[in-house]
Amino acid sequence: MTVLTAQPLTRSDARPSTHRLSFAHLLRSEWIKIVTLRSTWWSLGVAAVLSIGISMMIAAASENFGPGYPAVSAILSPTQFTMLVAGVLGAIVITGEYSTGMIRSTLTAEPRRGAVVLAKAVVIAGLMAVASVVIYGVAIAATAPILAEGIDWSEPSQSIVPLALGVLSMVAFTLIGLGFGFMVRNGAGAIAVTVGVLFVLPIVFSLFSMAGEDWRWIVDLAEYLPMNAAAAIASPGTEDLTAPLLALGAWVLAPMVIGWGVLRTRDA
């Protein structure tokens, strides 16, 4: 009896068909793949429960924080936890395709690998942005009766601006995870790298604050890690956003570009 074995898809196998997908069709394809995954909705559901629940707890305790506590921080503070959910979602969106072999079908339908990376990034970024806006909106409504002092909507730097930058941060965390997913191609490995960069590294770097001035440079370097850069740009009243925005942008761009390079040079 003849045994058929699946062979890895090489770049020569992924020859363009006579009917090439438009980018709009590619976006639609990626949208269908992402929203039909149960893991997508589980991730967004966990992010919503964590964000809203923690915001309500912080709001209940806000009267003990003093009169200078910005109310919008109750909405944004859970980001240090939900960022992990965003990063993991970004990672499993692509590693799931490698584990099931769907990536071969994707690259057969669209051999332009850069277009695949871009389409997946646009779709998952848009989904996370919309989800974050909805979650923030629910959290604002849920905490309004609890907060000692409400959000000052007349002052953009204390309301709209940090909330918008909070949404941007969640999108950035998702794309960081996506980039690591393209690089590593393995679900557990990509999640480990993502959690390490987003959560573990800031803790490790902060430990050097006890090591004296000779190691102060490591503590200063921690300000450019994704979590700390996001916290800086989303902090109410922050005026100098240039350095943290550039740092966060670099953390998004580097894994995505490297992941694109890996996809171009390695068989699927």
Side-chain angles (χ1 to χ4, degrees):
M1 182 176 70
T2 303
V3 178
L4 299 178
T5 57
Q7 297 297 323
L9 178 67
T10 63
R11 288 185 56 79
S12 60
D13 295 327
R15 294 187 177 91
S17 63
T18 55
H19 179 71
R20 176 169 290 182
L21 285 175
S22 68
F23 191 69
H25 285 105
L26 185 57
L27 288 174
R28 183 172 182 271
S29 173
E30 291 298 333
W31 171 260
I32 292 172
K33 285 191 290 184
I34 289 174
V35 299
T36 53
L37 290 174
R38 283 179 293 179
S39 57
T40 299
W41 301 108
W42 272 106
S43 299
L44 295 177
V46 170
V49 170
L50 282 176
S51 185
I52 297 168
I54 296 173
S55 291
M56 293 180 69
M57 293 174 63
I58 295 174
S62 62
E63 61 182 8
N64 299 319
F65 297 160
Y69 179 75
V72 73
S73 293
I75 310 301
L76 295 170
S77 293
T79 302
Q80 60 185 309
F81 303 103
T82 57
M83 68 175 181
L84 295 178
V85 181
V88 168
L89 174 60
I92 62 178
V93 158
I94 179 58
T95 57
E97 286 202 39
Y98 279 102
S99 65
T100 61
M102 184 178 288
I103 188 66
R104 298 186 182 94
S105 300
T106 299
L107 296 180
T108 300
E110 177 50 88
R112 297 173 298 175
R113 302 191 176 198
V116 172
V117 173
L118 180 59
K120 198 173 290 290
V122 169
V123 171
I124 193 61
L127 180 61
M128 180 54 68
V130 172
S132 297
V133 170
V134 172
I135 291 171
Y136 284 170
V138 175
I140 290 168
T143 57
I146 308 173
L147 282 167
E149 296 183 14
I151 298 175
D152 183 8
W153 296 105
S154 65
E155 182 57 53
S157 64
Q158 298 293 323
S159 54
I160 294 296
V161 171
L163 287 171
L165 292 173
V167 172
L168 178 66
S169 298
M170 289 296 288
V171 171
F173 297 140
T174 307
L175 293 179
I176 289 171
L178 179 65
F180 286 137
F182 272 112
M183 289 170 58
V184 180
R185 300 184 169 201
N186 174 269
I191 290 172
V193 174
T194 302
V195 173
V197 169
L198 295 183
F199 188 73
V200 177
L201 276 184
I203 296 175
V204 173
F205 278 37
S206 68
L207 295 176
F208 285 88
S209 61
M210 301 180 292
E213 288 299 319
D214 290 342
W215 296 94
R216 183 67 191 177
W217 64 275
I218 294 183
V219 179
D220 295 337
L221 194 62
E223 297 178 4
Y224 301 99
L225 292 174
M227 183 182 77
N228 295 334
I233 65 173
S235 179
T238 301
E239 296 181 356
D240 187 9
L241 300 175
T242 304
L245 275 174
L246 288 175
L248 191 60
W251 276 104
V252 171
L253 189 61
M256 290 298 296
V257 171
I258 296 173
W260 169 68
V262 170
L263 185 63
R264 280 181 56 86
T265 57
R266 291 178 57 185
D267 294 340

